[in-house]
Amino acid sequence: MDQDVNITIIDREGVEHQVQAPTDMNMNLMEVCKAYELPVEAVCGGMAMCATCQVYIKSDHDLGERNPDEEAMLWEALHVQDNSRLGCQIPISDDLEGLIVELAPEQ
C-alpha cells in the first residue's frame, strides 16, 4: 500500500511547514524540500558535495550513522551541529513518520 509520511520542516524564519512525503518514489528529504518550494539550494543536486541542504534533526528519530561522504562534507561546512545531516542523504521511508527538521542557516 502506498503511503506518505508526515514531516515537519522548520524554515530559516522559524515557520513550521507540515509536509507529506511519499515513501514509494525513492525521494530524499532534500527533494521533498524542493518539491514544497522550501529554500534549499541543493547546488550539487543531491551528491553530498555542497552541504546546501543541511538540516538539524529536532526529533528523536534514529537516522543511522552518517556515510563517509556526508561526514566529510559536514566536516567542511558552516553552522554544523551534532544533529546536522544532509537532506540529500536521508531517504524517505516509513521510519520518518513524525520527523522534525530545521533548515540550517545558508552558507
Side-chain angles (χ1 to χ4, degrees):
M1 176 180 209
D2 296 342
Q3 182 177 346
D4 292 346
V5 292
N6 298 293
I7 297 174
T8 301
I9 302 169
I10 303 168
D11 67 23
R12 294 183 185 98
E13 284 74 44
V15 177
E16 291 187 6
H17 301 267
Q18 309 294 325
V19 303
Q20 291 186 325
T23 59
D24 63 343
M25 294 181 64
N26 199 29
M27 293 180 78
N28 60 49
L29 184 58
M30 176 272 293
E31 292 167 327
V32 171
C33 289
K34 298 287 280 181
Y36 279 90
E37 298 183 358
L38 293 169
V40 173
E41 201 168 342
V43 171
C44 72
M47 303 293 291
M49 297 176 70
C50 71
T52 59
C53 65
Q54 181 186 174
V55 298
Y56 304 130
I57 307 301
K58 300 300 223 175
S59 53
D60 291 329
H61 288 74
D62 180 9
L63 303 180
E65 296 293 318
R66 297 173 182 155
N67 69 45
D69 291 336
E70 180 179 19
E71 190 70 48
M73 192 65 252
L74 287 172
W75 191 80
E76 298 177 13
L78 302 174
H79 312 292
V80 175
Q81 300 178 5
D82 289 342
N83 61 342
S84 289
R85 294 297 298 262
L86 297 182
C88 66
Q89 300 301 299
I90 303 174
I92 301 300
S93 69
D94 292 332
D95 296 337
L96 296 187
E97 176 63 37
L99 179 71
I100 302 170
V101 300
E102 180 179 358
L103 300 181
E106 292 183 286
Q107 303 291 326

